[in-house]
Amino acid sequence: MTSQPLSDDEVVVRRVPPGSRWFEFPDRITSANFKLRRGERGLSVYRLNVVSPQTVLNQPGAIPGSRLGFATVGEIRRMTGSAGEPLGLDVVVVDDEQNPGHAEIQGPSLGPFPRAALDSFKRLFRLWTG
Amino acid sequence: MPATWTTSADLFPTPADPLSGSLPPAVGVNAAPQGQHEWLPFCLKQLDAISTLPENWDSYGAAPPDAKIMASARRLLLSLASSADVPKPHVNPTPDGGVQFDWERGSRYFELDVVSPDTAEYLYADPAERAEEEGAVREGESLEIVIGYVRRVIETP
């Protein structure tokens, strides 16, 4: 694993599963897309400087029909809650030869984000159409 | 009288087929203006579909939906549908085995996340108002505060 600062301009993406399986149309980013499971320290994302969107969508275990949500590293670092409070997030490289381009969005205290932060993620990330 | 998150058995014994256009008898539901339950069969169908999701349904190791949470979410949805003020929610699974209802209009957003068989956590957020309010409601309790937030989302300023 390496840990090095990323440029604000870098774009990171996260898979968004298709809502069509439970009749939720159209595709939409929800706060649940950013909820960490117990034991996870950061939100898994991929750097488009290192891997292509198609690679991320075709990774083992990826769900057919998934979309990508994207944001820049700088936008993530500048994220605030709805009340205007800085969330103190950063994007940290966490990759290896088997998982190139992988990074994590981490908060000031590793682990689950506050619920309000999940809403902020939902408002920030957009669906990739490129 | 404000709706309560009912702890009783299903008010609708079986979900109606959303394609048929018909609703089963609204047994046990407080009288509501005709058409207020139009979205209910479809949302129940969504819950049924969510209930069948496998482990890792999101490709990030999500837990499969918890049966007890889903049953509780169903009762919550039925209770919300008894209020004339509640429009159709978005319905989505969460990676920890729960299910989430949300309403959104403009910058206003309210979500209700059923996190355990008897508890739903909620968030109201509006960056335009710099508003961020959180709390929880438990099964058996009044849904007045929840319905109040939904009204706040959908009302035109």
Side-chain angles (χ1 to χ4, degrees):
Chain A
M1 286 194 286
T2 58
S3 181
Q4 45 189 287
L6 297 177
S7 162
D8 277 356
D9 295 338
E10 274 218 43
V11 175
V12 294
V13 296
R14 181 170 170 84
R15 284 188 301 271
V16 175
S20 55
R21 289 176 295 169
W22 53 90
F23 311 110
E24 191 67 21
F25 301 103
D27 291 332
R28 177 174 174 259
I29 293 175
T30 74
S31 64
N33 296 142
F34 305 95
K35 208 174 189 184
L36 292 178
R37 292 165 296 131
R38 264 196 200 104
E40 284 188 306
R41 62 175 190 182
L43 191 74
S44 175
V45 293
Y46 282 89
R47 301 162 58 199
L48 291 191
N49 275 17
V50 179
V51 292
S52 70
Q54 211 52 49
T55 298
V56 178
L57 287 172
N58 291 336
Q59 283 172 333
I63 308 300
S66 291
R67 303 282 300 273
L68 294 178
F70 78 96
T72 68
V73 171
E75 288 172 327
I76 293 167
R77 287 172 173 152
R78 293 188 295 271
M79 272 178 67
T80 64
S82 287
E85 74 284 14
L87 295 176
L89 303 176
D90 201 0
V91 184
V92 178
V93 173
V94 182
D95 66 358
D96 55 37
E97 287 179 3
Q98 276 70 49
N99 203 11
H102 184 250
E104 286 183 357
I105 300 175
Q106 296 178 355
S109 50
L110 296 178
F113 300 115
R115 184 170 293 281
L118 302 180
D119 174 56
S120 296
F121 276 118
K122 176 186 71 66
R123 292 176 193 265
L124 172 64
F125 273 69
R126 290 87 72 193
L127 286 174
W128 181 266
T129 56
Chain B
M1 185 166 135
T4 299
W5 184 352
T6 181
T7 59
S8 63
D10 286 354
L11 299 173
F12 284 73
T14 54
D17 180 352
L19 300 178
S20 75
S22 66
L23 288 172
V27 177
V29 176
N30 293 336
Q34 191 163 4
Q36 289 301 324
H37 296 147
E38 283 179 358
W39 55 258
L40 179 58
F42 187 86
C43 287
L44 291 174
K45 186 88 169 174
Q46 290 187 281
L47 288 182
D48 288 344
I50 289 171
S51 294
T52 66
L53 290 173
E55 187 169 351
N56 195 37
W57 56 264
D58 67 344
S59 77
Y60 288 106
D66 180 279
K68 288 183 179 176
I69 293 179
M70 294 305 298
S72 187
R74 182 183 174 89
R75 290 190 290 273
L76 175 58
L77 191 67
L78 290 165
S79 301
L80 289 171
S82 71
S83 169
D85 293 325
V86 179
K88 183 190 176 304
H90 292 282
V91 183
N92 288 285
T94 63
D96 44 11
V99 66
Q100 180 177 294
F101 306 118
D102 78 76
W103 296 261
E104 190 168 31
R105 186 167 294 185
S107 62
R108 300 187 298 276
Y109 174 77
F110 178 69
E111 72 178 31
L112 192 56
D113 185 355
V114 188
V115 297
S116 74
D118 63 357
T119 302
E121 296 177 354
Y122 61 77
L123 166 73
Y124 174 83
D126 184 358
E129 295 176 358
R130 296 179 84 86
E132 200 174 270
E133 297 164 30
E134 297 186 43
V137 61
R138 299 180 69 88
E139 198 157 2
E141 291 181 348
S142 166
L143 295 173
E144 184 174 5
I145 194 167
V146 168
I147 293 169
Y149 279 121
V150 174
R151 278 197 211 111
R152 202 165 150 189
V153 169
I154 65 175
E155 69 187 7
T156 305

